[in-house]
Amino acid sequence: MEMDQTKANNETNRFAGLILAAGKGERLRPLTASVPKPLIRIGRFSLLDLALQSMPMDAEDIAVNASYLASQIKNHLAGSAVHVSVEPSPLASAGAVGNLRGWIAGRHLMIRNADMWFDRVPTELWSDWSGENPRLLVQDRGVPSDFGTNQFLGWSMLPSSRVDALEARPSSLLNEVWLPAARQGKLELVQFKGLAIDCGTHEDLARARDAQQAKDLD
């Protein structure tokens, strides 16, 4: 697997990474009837490959959770140092973190959705993060969205103290962490100025493929 970044620098070696890859991708049927959404190709690489390339830590410090067609995820990552966390029943985002507390071992956690495509790596999300509060990557859409007019872009930072409070049961980070932190005035939002596409529909998948093709031709 090709990695195009320098990993494990002094700023990011205090993080573990988690790529969420357990969803069924039902809106992408029939593509996902036999292939898990993270393994759908965007140009030369799968969505999962692109997600792994974007993470600023060594492969041994990255976990991928899998549930739907999990054996394909495991086979795709066979031979790499990436840790695969198989969930017989999906645990959702917070449950996936709780299930990995032993592996995370007290570190802060960077979490990324496998099905998001970005035109560049958003280093601004973690470059000045203190590790005190949860932090989300967002874009202001100018209309009501996830957090005011800010749409969540599937990439976040989770302090170790918040990791330790999560359990291995079906639950979401939205309900368990982000909304409570927002009510306490402790949720940090970082604006992303580039192009981000949620590849959850056939239309958006096509947009991401076109954008990746244009990027590869640059």
Side-chain angles (χ1 to χ4, degrees):
M1 182 180 301
E2 180 178 323
M3 294 286 181
D4 62 2
Q5 289 188 312
T6 301
K7 307 290 185 175
N9 56 47
N10 291 334
E11 185 63 27
T12 59
N13 60 15
R14 60 194 176 121
F15 306 154
L18 170 60
I19 297 175
L20 297 173
K24 291 184 176 181
E26 292 180 342
R27 291 179 297 166
L28 285 174
R29 297 282 173 121
L31 286 177
T32 51
S34 58
V35 177
K37 180 165 60 171
L39 295 188
I40 291 175
R41 298 187 71 81
I42 303 286
R44 294 182 297 139
F45 298 102
S46 69
L47 282 165
L48 180 56
D49 293 335
L50 292 173
L52 286 165
Q53 290 171 20
S54 70
M55 298 292 275
M57 66 277 293
D58 288 328
E60 65 190 22
D61 295 314
I62 301 172
V64 173
N65 79 321
S67 184
Y68 176 66
L69 300 176
S71 62
Q72 292 188 37
I73 302 285
K74 288 184 66 176
N75 290 340
H76 187 77
L77 295 174
S80 79
V82 174
H83 176 74
V84 180
S85 175
V86 175
E87 301 168 4
S89 297
L91 293 170
S93 54
V97 175
N99 195 44
L100 283 163
R101 280 190 306 171
W103 177 84
I104 296 167
R107 292 174 288 180
H108 299 315
L109 186 63
M110 178 185 295
I111 308 168
R112 188 202 194 287
N113 292 355
D115 57 0
M116 289 293 302
W117 181 91
F118 294 86
D119 64 348
R120 64 173 178 82
V121 178
T123 56
E124 62 267 38
L125 178 65
W126 58 85
S127 61
D128 63 347
W129 185 55
S130 69
E132 295 180 5
N133 299 319
R135 176 179 275 197
L136 309 182
L137 189 70
V138 299
Q139 271 187 342
D140 191 339
R141 301 301 192 190
V143 295
S145 190
D146 302 317
F147 301 91
T149 58
N150 293 298
Q151 181 181 6
F152 174 54
L153 298 183
W155 208 322
S156 62
M157 307 298 296
L158 192 62
S160 58
S161 59
R162 302 277 184 165
V163 171
D164 292 341
L166 298 176
E167 300 178 0
R169 57 177 177 80
S171 55
S172 70
L173 287 168
L174 175 66
N175 292 326
E176 298 291 329
V177 178
W178 302 336
L179 290 179
R183 288 193 291 268
Q184 298 164 2
K186 295 183 177 180
L187 183 66
E188 301 176 9
L189 303 179
V190 173
Q191 293 288 335
F192 181 62
K193 302 301 184 182
L195 178 62
I197 301 173
D198 180 352
C199 301
T201 67
H202 289 278
E203 179 182 9
D204 286 335
L205 178 62
R207 288 178 57 222
R209 284 172 165 167
D210 289 344
Q212 183 65 46
Q213 183 178 31
K215 183 178 178 181
D216 290 342
L217 292 174
D218 281 348

